[in-house]
């Protein structure tokens, strides 16, 4: 299992458009085969940094997933929405493997 981290630089005046984009992926990504952890938008600190995070079995599975997502009507519509509205200024993607698991149970103070 690998985790894809997408770092976005977004227009700070279009945070609501990014939130709509994120909600759309909340439906489309799981439907097309990736385990969505979530999309995270600015709250405190930087008003221009946002993230999308999901798990996928392998890079080969990622390639098949991306093809399904591009063919999916909601996926195509969401890509077009982002292009048309211009709220994404930059997008970087990295794949990482969780090397700290298994984790201990959370202990509350």
């Amino acid at each position: 299992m690998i985790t894809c981290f997408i770092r976005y630089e977004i227009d700070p005046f279009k945070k609501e458009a990014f939130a709509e984009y994120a909600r759309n992926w909340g439906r489309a990504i799981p439907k097309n085969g990736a385990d969505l952890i979530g999309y995270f938008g600015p709250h405190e600190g930087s008003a221009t940094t946002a993230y999308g995070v999901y798990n996928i079995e392998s890079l080969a599975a990622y390639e098949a997933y991306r093809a399904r997502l591009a063919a999916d009507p909601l996926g195509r519509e969401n890509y077009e929405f982002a292009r048309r509205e211009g709220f994404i200024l930059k997008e970087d993607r990295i794949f990482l493997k969780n090397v700290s698991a298994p984790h201990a149970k959370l202990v509350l103070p």
Side-chain angles (χ1 to χ4, degrees):
M1 184 71 61
I2 57 177
T3 303
C4 179
F5 290 82
I6 307 168
R7 181 186 178 280
Y8 296 95
E9 181 181 331
I10 63 172
D11 183 327
F13 300 104
K14 297 182 177 181
K15 290 189 293 189
E16 286 306 315
F18 180 81
E20 180 179 342
Y21 174 80
R23 286 189 298 273
N24 291 338
W25 286 140
R27 295 190 320 274
I29 287 174
K31 181 174 92 171
N32 284 283
D35 174 25
L36 181 63
I37 295 168
Y39 268 73
F40 302 87
H43 176 71
E44 185 66 31
S46 173
T48 61
T49 302
Y51 292 92
V53 184
Y54 60 87
N55 293 315
I56 193 109
E57 195 61 36
S58 64
L59 287 176
Y62 169 75
E63 293 301 330
Y65 152 79
R66 290 284 291 188
R68 287 189 303 273
L69 196 60
D72 181 83
L74 180 55
R76 283 194 317 269
E77 183 180 308
N78 213 29
Y79 286 128
E80 176 56 28
F81 170 60
R83 188 199 61 74
R84 184 179 64 248
E85 297 299 320
F87 50 84
I88 297 174
L89 306 176
K90 184 177 178 184
E91 179 178 332
D92 293 310
R93 188 176 313 264
I94 188 170
F95 295 89
L96 301 173
K97 181 190 283 191
N98 185 341
V99 296
S100 65
H103 300 140
K105 289 189 175 203
L106 175 64
V107 177
L108 297 176

